[in-house]
Amino acid sequence: MESGLKMVRGRKFANERVCLDGIEFLDCDIRNCELIYSGGLPFIFGNTPVEGSAIIFEGAAQNTLDTLAMLYNCGMSQIVDEILGHVRNPFDDTLQ
């Protein structure tokens, strides 16, 4: 089955900005990088240790986080908590 993701295999990343959108990282090594997610296609880390790095949200991904923060701070924390419940347990059918 075609995932639509670009595959990067066996590469070492160190001290650089790495765009995550739409990439499947297999057997890579990521150290001390800025990992950039902009809200495009998801990404996958397969057998890829990540150390000393930070994920930075930009574009649509940052807009989504800003919207969740606004909802939370406008008295809609229960809705945000439900969304985060789905993030924590994506296959739990008891969450609504």
Side-chain angles (χ1 to χ4, degrees), residues 86 89-94:
H86 288 289
N89 301 298
F91 305 109
D92 186 345
D93 291 336
T94 63

Side-chain angles (χ1 to χ4, degrees), residues 21-38:
D21 295 57
I23 309 285
E24 182 174 3
F25 299 89
L26 293 175
D27 304 318
C28 294
D29 186 67
I30 300 174
R31 297 180 191 275
N32 304 314
C33 291
E34 290 184 342
L35 306 175
I36 311 301
Y37 181 63
S38 299

Side-chain angles (χ1 to χ4, degrees), residues 16-66:
E16 59 187 289
R17 286 174 60 95
V18 179
C19 295
L20 302 176
D21 295 57
I23 309 285
E24 182 174 3
F25 299 89
L26 293 175
D27 304 318
C28 294
D29 186 67
I30 300 174
R31 297 180 191 275
N32 304 314
C33 291
E34 290 184 342
L35 306 175
I36 311 301
Y37 181 63
S38 299
L41 287 174
F43 56 92
I44 297 172
F45 293 135
N47 193 34
T48 296
V50 178
E51 295 183 17
S53 299
I55 294 183
I56 298 170
F57 296 94
E58 295 180 347
Q62 183 62 52
N63 292 343
T64 299
L65 292 178
D66 291 344

Side-chain angles (χ1 to χ4, degrees), residues 78-96:
Q78 182 176 354
I79 291 171
V80 175
D81 289 340
E82 289 175 13
I83 292 168
L84 294 178
H86 288 289
V87 170
R88 289 183 193 102
N89 301 298
F91 305 109
D92 186 345
D93 291 336
T94 63
L95 297 172
Q96 295 190 19

